[in-house]
Amino acid sequence: MSIPERLAANRYETDEEQSHIHVDQDLARSTGTGERIIAVCPAKVYAREADGTISVEYAACFECGACLAVAAPGALEWHYPRGGMGIQLREG
Ligand code: SF4
């Protein structure tokens, strides 16, 4: 089974009211965190917008923690989605 096929088996329960990820735009820009989280996220949650800000498509998050490992202190606020929400892994 291919990786995309395995990932397609996962289920997401999206919290429509609250994002579990927040980017401090000033710190993301000044520390280079914005480019690092865009590069490292396997789910393509982060993107650079035309105005230079970092957008967050939090519903696609795998909850892998890679962005936290490369973010400068204070540039990224991340916590697990509220109870019962987020990804529900079917493999691994
Ligand atoms: S936890 Fe992983 S999947 Fe979620 S935003 Fe960070 S790098 Fe992307």
Side-chain angles (χ1 to χ4, degrees), residues 13-73:
E13 187 69 38
T14 301
D15 187 342
E16 303 286 355
E17 299 175 1
Q18 186 179 93
S19 172
H20 65 288
I21 305 171
H22 297 280
V23 174
D24 182 311
Q25 298 292 339
D26 292 335
L27 275 175
R29 187 177 301 110
S30 65
T31 62
T33 291
E35 295 311 315
R36 290 197 297 275
I37 61 178
I38 289 170
V40 77
C41 177
K44 307 297 183 201
V45 166
Y46 305 104
R48 171 81 64 196
E49 298 299 315
D51 65 0
T53 60
I54 305 295
S55 61
V56 180
E57 189 62 50
Y58 69 93
C61 178
F62 292 163
E63 302 171 27
C64 70
C67 54
L68 285 174
V70 300

Side-chain angles (χ1 to χ4, degrees), residues 1-11 89-92:
M1 182 182 286
S2 71
I3 290 175
E5 287 171 332
R6 294 179 73 157
L7 291 175
N10 296 325
R11 298 283 182 266
L89 297 170
R90 301 294 184 194
E91 294 278 342

